Amino acid sequence: GDYLTLSEKLDSISNFKSLNGITQAKAWTPITPDAHHDWINQRDDSFEEFFLLGQKDTNDADKIYEAYSSGIKTNRDFWCYNSSRAHLEHNIRRMIYFYNSEVDRYIEAKNTDPTVLAENIINTDPTKFSWTRETKQDLARKTKRDFRPEGITLGHYRPFFKTWVYFNRHFNNCIYQMYKIFPEPEIQNLVICLTGRGATKEFSTLISNTLPDLEMISKGQCFPLYLYEKAEEGTPEDDLFAGTRKTNSKDGYIRRDGISDTGLAHFQKAYPGETLTKEDLFYYIYGLLHSPDYRSRYADNLSKELPRIPAVKGIQTFRAFSQAGRRLADLHLHYESADKYPVTLDTGKLPPKKLTPEHFRVTKMKFGKTKDPATGKTLADKTVIHYNPHITLRNIPLEAYHYIVNGKPAIEWVMERQSVTTDKSSQITNDANHFAHETKQNPRYPLDLLQQIITVSLETMKVVDGLPGLNI
């Protein structure tokens, strides 16, 4: 039975005594796998009629994106991410210094004993370095590495949490195609990141204008507005990408549209006589992927494959989704500029005007507590957040928790990430207050951000609740 507790399910099985008991009670439910070999949570076959958003294991031209990418995977997050740019650089420099010293030690050992294997002599102290298959292979090749200051850039680590990252193909486990999307810190781009295959969280999506981590959205697949490649001398103007390329001479890169001409043509054909641009389609996709109708109707498809994008009936409906996508993008990209939601700030006996920068330091936010009148159990009171010993936020609207992204409310992502944590293996501390002081020059940034995300959450749900039905 659906929604039974564990004990109820076990009792039900025990009562049958044996497999024969289930057969005699005619309690079996026959299951026939579908064409996709799904036994349960079977896909809606009408999904196949829609246009592929993207697919790498096919040469099928009928897809909106020819190229897209996973978010970066470092396999050494505490080394490669930090809220302090200065601390990040220090950690990376000492990591590379140690790695290079291990190369020297290996070379010396190899000169003494040519049969020695690199993996048998390396120092595996996790406070010195985090070894992966790739770095072990580099060591075995006697390859040294240099620190590259241009690799330090802003990254989007988790929803509504930007931080400093060392973006480097040698010390990130996988950078995938991100070097074509965010090749340099100064180059601007937008990516729609969505839940990838293998994720254990329900489908969600979030737009970003900075380098996304693989788990910013679980197993995230990222679809860019633009793609970039290095400009080379003598590149012909009338080559394969003529008409879709633009040269960014300042940064020395050639830019082309992420959305294919084929993808745009498909949607233009659906609305004859209408002028549609690739930007219109980009934001249409972002709006549509927030549609509760779309997500619920195709939930089983979205848990197993990348989205397919239908052309809704009527240009007005298309434009409604596209405009909603632009509004959502504005909310989600510029969340640090949103109005602070007017919660009640309880500062105890200390008047708000007497708060000093140190009073805004945060280590771990916590919900308030309340008693369940029926059971007497202690429950979380989500209308209250204890920011720190000096500041408590009260009268937080519960509707703000309805905006779920990457498995939990956006508010709870802020609570989790605006904190101080120390990694047990590397002993590296990541203190979110450093970002507030060093990058934002605003000691109350974590508090402001929490109030801003309350506003963003409420406004997001207004847009989502106002989306048109999925008429396809």
Side-chain angles (χ1 to χ4, degrees), residues 82-85 87 164 361 429-441:
N82 203 284
S83 293
S84 165
R85 194 185 194 285
H87 287 193
W164 294 103
R361 177 173 174 78
T429 295
N430 195 351
D431 185 341
N433 298 282
H434 289 149
F435 193 81
H437 285 270
E438 297 172 14
T439 304
K440 295 298 181 180
Q441 289 85 48

Side-chain angles (χ1 to χ4, degrees), residues 271 283-298 310-328 460-472:
Y271 309 105
Y283 291 112
Y284 168 80
I285 292 167
Y286 195 55
L288 183 84
L289 294 179
H290 280 84
S291 163
D293 283 356
Y294 177 83
R295 290 191 184 187
S296 60
R297 190 182 306 185
Y298 300 110
V312 293
K313 289 184 178 178
I315 188 61
Q316 295 305 319
T317 306
F318 176 94
R319 295 203 184 281
F321 275 111
S322 188
Q323 289 164 6
R326 287 179 185 272
R327 172 60 179 149
L328 290 168
T460 293
M461 293 315 300
K462 285 181 185 178
V463 176
V464 169
D465 292 341
L467 287 171
L470 195 63
N471 187 9
I472 49 180

